[in-house]
Amino acid sequence: MNEGTSVEIHLRLMTRSECELCEYMEMALRGHSLFANVTSLEFVDVDEDELLKRRYGLRIPVLLDAWQEVICEGRFDERAFEQWFDELLNDNERG
């Protein structure tokens, strides 16, 4: 894996207040070595938007990329995150 990339990486964590699973996902994500490459991590409370609540409410926590593609949901999936990161770098290198 190519760490120290110049690609801007924006992630969005779909959450709700008092969600222990959401806290666990955030801690696992922040603890991952690739998190150092993340430009921004936005937290979105699905209960504040009816559409988001319908889409993600039963699935939270959900980690999304800048294109709203699901990276992982329910728990932090280290393999899925690493695979997503590798694909992002490969796509960036192709142009």
Side-chain angles (χ1 to χ4, degrees), residues 73-85:
E73 63 183 81
R75 62 176 178 76
F76 181 69
D77 184 334
E78 186 173 330
R79 249 178 95 167
F81 181 67
E82 291 170 357
Q83 181 179 358
W84 171 85
F85 190 85

Side-chain angles (χ1 to χ4, degrees), residues 12-16 42-62 64-65 68-70 73:
R12 178 177 282 184
L13 184 57
M14 309 309 282
T15 67
R16 66 171 32 110
E42 177 186 5
F43 297 88
V44 178
D45 186 334
V46 297
D47 293 329
E48 293 182 6
D49 181 297
E50 196 58 40
L51 178 62
L52 295 177
K53 187 175 183 177
R54 283 196 306 266
R55 183 177 293 159
Y56 301 110
L58 296 176
R59 300 165 52 195
I60 63 162
V62 180
L64 304 172
D65 65 18
Q68 304 305 310
E69 296 292 325
V70 174
E73 63 183 81

Side-chain angles (χ1 to χ4, degrees), residues 21-51:
L21 288 175
C22 302
E23 293 172 13
Y24 292 144
M25 183 180 281
E26 178 190 0
M27 288 188 318
L29 176 61
R30 288 186 185 277
H32 194 287
S33 62
L34 292 176
F35 186 76
N37 297 294
V38 174
T39 307
S40 68
L41 176 61
E42 177 186 5
F43 297 88
V44 178
D45 186 334
V46 297
D47 293 329
E48 293 182 6
D49 181 297
E50 196 58 40
L51 178 62

